Amino acid sequence: MSLQHKVIKPKSQKGKRFIKNREPKIFENTKNALALRTNTANETVVRILKDLCALKKPESAFMGRKHELRPFEDEQALEKFSTKYDSSLILTGSHNKKRPSCITFARTYDGSILDMFEFCVENFKGISDFQGLSPPLGNKPLLIFRGESFEHDPIMGKIKTMFIDYFRGPTVDKIRPAGVQHCITFTSIGSTKILMRTFMINGITDGTEGTVTKAALTPMGPSMDLIPKRSKLASNDVWKVACRVPKEATIKKKKNISQDAFGSKLGRIHMDTQDFSKLATRKMKGLKKDRKEDADESAEEEEDDDSGDDVMDTLEEANPVGEAYDDIGGDLD
Amino acid sequence: MAAAAATAEQHGVEVDLGNLLACDPRPLTLTASDDVEALIQTEMTELAQLLLDKVWALPLERIEDAVVTTLPKPTTFLPREKPIPKAKPMTKWEKYAKEKGITKTKQSRMVWDQTTREWKPRWGYKKAATEDDDWVTEVPKDSDGRNDPFTEKAKAKKERIAKNELQRLKNVARAHKTKIPTGGILPHTEGKTSSKSQVSQAASFARTATASVGKFTEALPKEAPLTKNQGKKRKFESNLDNFQAEKSRLLGIADGITSKKPRVDEERALGRIKQRSAKPKKSDRPQREDGRGAPGGKRTSFGGGKFAGKGGKGLGKPSKGPANQKIRKPVKSSYRG
């Protein structure tokens, strides 16, 4: 919550909830994406933006007004959009002679631009070019990256994380394996070209268990060749801060708790060594000390030693409870 | 199929099931005769099969009519959207309560209503009667009859609310390590006398709260002269003497224009450093891929106090880099998608 929202309190419960929802969280929501056309975008660029938006629906929105945006020259405008619409992923599209059909993927951390990558698009085929196939809404796709430059080239490595961030779909704990319907793939050709292809998965099930035995892929839209142009990488320390995992999010392994084959909980308990001097023994009248006896005892002690009671002697050495035993010995005598 | 998976693993295909992600480091070898699309499709089918097999291999469970599986935690580190939330700073009361070991106890929802002799909710619909609901009230004996007890009660409540709000703002200010501007007059609470400093501050504000900013206000006997909360007065240099100072000042301006050294506004630079250290560091700005700076605008005006600190002097090409943009005030315009 910004200082402004703390000083001026939200007037309604709804407004309060709205502001609270935008505050930093330990477990974050799925990142929202915002696609912005610029004043130079042509029809193809708009189609590209809309199709990329469609892949991320419902966590994406397309803004169709002609904003004068130059991400690499003025970051502030993008940051403003990002905070206003609470979307940390931003897509912009422009078209000019120097960089035809140009799209920029940007992401923000804490309201300011973290990194940006610019691509020129070639061989674009939209969703509508493949009849009858459209990306399923809110579905988690398979993501496949192919090519060595994604591993070795630092910029391509960051491009990969950007694409994972953008395309991975909602973060869920449970999925229906039979419901996995589409697959977004990226193939790098050197560091100069990335082939983005999208496929529909037609699984041939074997009927009995419902498991896919053979997956068949059918090409669908959008498919395009991305040529990396300008990029803006996050500095190492900012990246490190942004990738930090909160303590609360890491689940600590609970020690000494296990389950047996029947599912019942077993625990291992560690005990301290027992202090026998504090042991609550049975109280008997005969064992009670009185002052008179105490005085006698000290006098008798020397005599006892002389009498040579071997058993009592050893006991006395062996444990600190010796005194009690000594008493018994005295009584028995 | 199993063989394909085995070979894929040999080649170091990394799988992150939490994100349904597979990364194959093998390059795609293309020859001129190959149909690229067909090749990609066959290669990707193999990898998709590998992923799907792994997903189906996870323990399945049935929830209603659907067979579902729990995905493991993602292993790929992705940047967060917002910083890790910080612990809420304690209010003054919370701090005090902690020191004294005062713990909050939950108030009961129902209270005993003496007049109707039954349990009623503390607030809301059909709540128990409180003092605020009284339609008749006694006039105190010492009252001169001029003051209406109802308006006095309402006023007292207003003051209590104002006091609470002030305390809330003070807590916010304390959390942000700033001070709230005071109007000099604090809300008056019953049974609590203002401190001497509060009274004198209020008096000084009252003295200057006239159309002539206190110029004609007569001072009370033994009243200390006003020192605080005075506005700044403009000062002009005399027109006649002190030519030396004027000369050196003008020479200084001329020096500034002709020297090739970049001028640094230290105060501003310090402020900028502070601002940055408060935010996640952005000191080392990222390198551009093509190694060029951002294009700069054509310079039209030179030097002058008005433009000080906007562009470096003698830097060759004045750049409109991101450092300058950061400090620029956002343009007032409404963005609508």
Side-chain angles (χ1 to χ4, degrees), chain B residues 65-83:
Chain B
D65 279 340
V67 176
V68 295
T69 179
T70 312
L71 290 178
K73 277 209 150 188
T75 52
T76 318
F77 277 106
L78 293 172
R80 287 173 64 85
E81 183 179 39
K82 280 160 197 165

Side-chain angles (χ1 to χ4, degrees), chain A residues 1-110:
Chain A
M1 207 192 276
S2 65
L3 181 59
Q4 186 205 343
H5 286 127
K6 274 179 183 162
V7 174
I8 305 161
K9 278 204 288 186
K11 276 180 187 153
S12 62
Q13 274 303 317
K14 197 179 174 185
K16 202 173 166 185
R17 259 178 270 133
F18 180 84
I19 288 164
K20 196 157 186 277
N21 190 37
R22 285 189 168 196
E23 274 177 53
K25 298 174 197 124
I26 293 168
F27 298 99
E28 293 203 303
N29 46 286
T30 314
K31 287 184 179 180
N32 288 325
L34 202 65
L36 303 159
R37 69 161 290 176
T38 63
N39 52 349
T40 59
N42 62 5
E43 203 198 327
T44 330
V45 171
V46 171
R47 268 183 71 206
I48 294 168
L49 292 178
K50 279 186 175 170
D51 282 6
L52 287 174
C53 238
L55 283 182
K56 193 157 165 63
K57 259 182 184 172
E59 279 104 18
S60 64
F62 174 75
M63 299 281 171
R65 285 208 181 176
K66 294 177 181 178
H67 298 287
E68 204 173 306
L69 295 170
R70 285 181 192 84
F72 285 88
E73 282 149 44
D74 181 19
E75 292 173 8
Q76 273 194 336
L78 289 195
E79 285 165 4
K80 205 171 175 183
F81 271 111
S82 165
T83 43
K84 185 176 178 185
Y85 293 99
D86 195 30
S87 5
S88 54
L89 296 166
I90 292 177
L91 260 178
T92 62
S94 62
H95 175 85
N96 53 40
K97 203 169 170 185
K98 194 172 177 184
R99 296 187 194 88
S101 300
C102 178
I103 55 165
T104 308
F105 282 83
R107 77 185 136 181
T108 64
Y109 168 71
D110 196 12

Side-chain angles (χ1 to χ4, degrees), chain A residues 65-197:
Chain A
R65 285 208 181 176
K66 294 177 181 178
H67 298 287
E68 204 173 306
L69 295 170
R70 285 181 192 84
F72 285 88
E73 282 149 44
D74 181 19
E75 292 173 8
Q76 273 194 336
L78 289 195
E79 285 165 4
K80 205 171 175 183
F81 271 111
S82 165
T83 43
K84 185 176 178 185
Y85 293 99
D86 195 30
S87 5
S88 54
L89 296 166
I90 292 177
L91 260 178
T92 62
S94 62
H95 175 85
N96 53 40
K97 203 169 170 185
K98 194 172 177 184
R99 296 187 194 88
S101 300
C102 178
I103 55 165
T104 308
F105 282 83
R107 77 185 136 181
T108 64
Y109 168 71
D110 196 12
S112 50
I113 295 284
L114 185 72
D115 49 3
M116 284 193 288
F117 302 98
E118 193 181 51
F119 304 96
C120 281
V121 178
E122 283 177 3
N123 301 333
F124 172 71
K125 275 183 210 159
I127 293 169
S128 53
D129 293 333
F130 297 85
Q131 290 250 311
L133 294 171
S134 60
L137 191 78
N139 198 289
K140 207 170 165 65
L142 298 185
L143 283 180
I144 301 172
F145 287 85
R146 175 81 196 250
E148 89 275 61
S149 56
F150 282 127
E151 310 294 322
H152 304 306
D153 189 338
I155 290 177
M156 291 289 273
K158 285 279 156 43
I159 289 176
K160 187 176 116 180
T161 64
M162 172 72 88
F163 285 158
I164 296 170
D165 225 348
Y166 187 90
F167 292 106
R168 67 171 170 162
T171 39
V172 286
D173 359 305
K174 285 193 170 75
I175 62 153
R176 202 166 61 88
V180 178
Q181 279 176 23
H182 75 306
C183 172
I184 303 169
T185 71
F186 300 91
T187 314
S188 74
I189 301 193
S191 297
T192 50
K193 210 179 211 184
I194 301 166
L195 310 180
M196 179 189 167
R197 299 287 179 269

